[in-house]
Amino acid sequence: MTPKVMRQLWSVVETTQAKTLLQLDDASLVHWLVKQIKNQALLDCHETDFLSDYIKSRLTLIRDLAQERQYS
């Protein structure tokens, strides 16, 4: 995954309403985030798979950030 795609992912996480990030189940959240990134960048199958795995490994962090924002 390129640094640009990683920045795009975390930008999407930061700009998405916390409620959206918290209400989706894990699989739906991964799918939704991948779709958002694919709308911004051309990704091949390997990059998409890597991005999905990366998001899965960071779901707790993503939800923690959303929860913190929700109560700020």
Side-chain angles (χ1 to χ4, degrees):
M1 180 166 53
T2 65
K4 180 181 178 182
V5 172
M6 191 174 288
R7 282 191 303 272
Q8 287 174 319
L9 168 64
W10 289 106
S11 176
V12 168
V13 169
E14 287 296 317
T15 57
T16 300
Q17 288 187 355
K19 182 180 178 182
T20 301
L21 297 173
L22 294 170
Q23 72 185 8
L24 296 171
D25 62 61
D26 288 354
S28 297
L29 180 55
V30 170
H31 177 75
W32 187 85
L33 287 169
V34 168
K35 184 178 174 187
Q36 299 307 306
I37 300 307
K38 287 178 83 172
N39 287 338
Q40 298 177 19
L42 293 173
L43 301 177
D44 65 28
C45 294
H46 298 295
E47 291 171 318
T48 302
D49 290 343
F50 187 85
L51 178 61
S52 293
D53 290 342
Y54 179 79
I55 293 169
K56 287 175 193 171
S57 73
R58 301 300 191 275
L59 282 175
T60 303
L61 175 59
I62 291 168
R63 292 189 192 283
D64 286 348
L65 290 170
Q67 187 113 25
E68 185 178 306
R69 266 199 345 251
Q70 191 175 33
Y71 296 112
S72 297

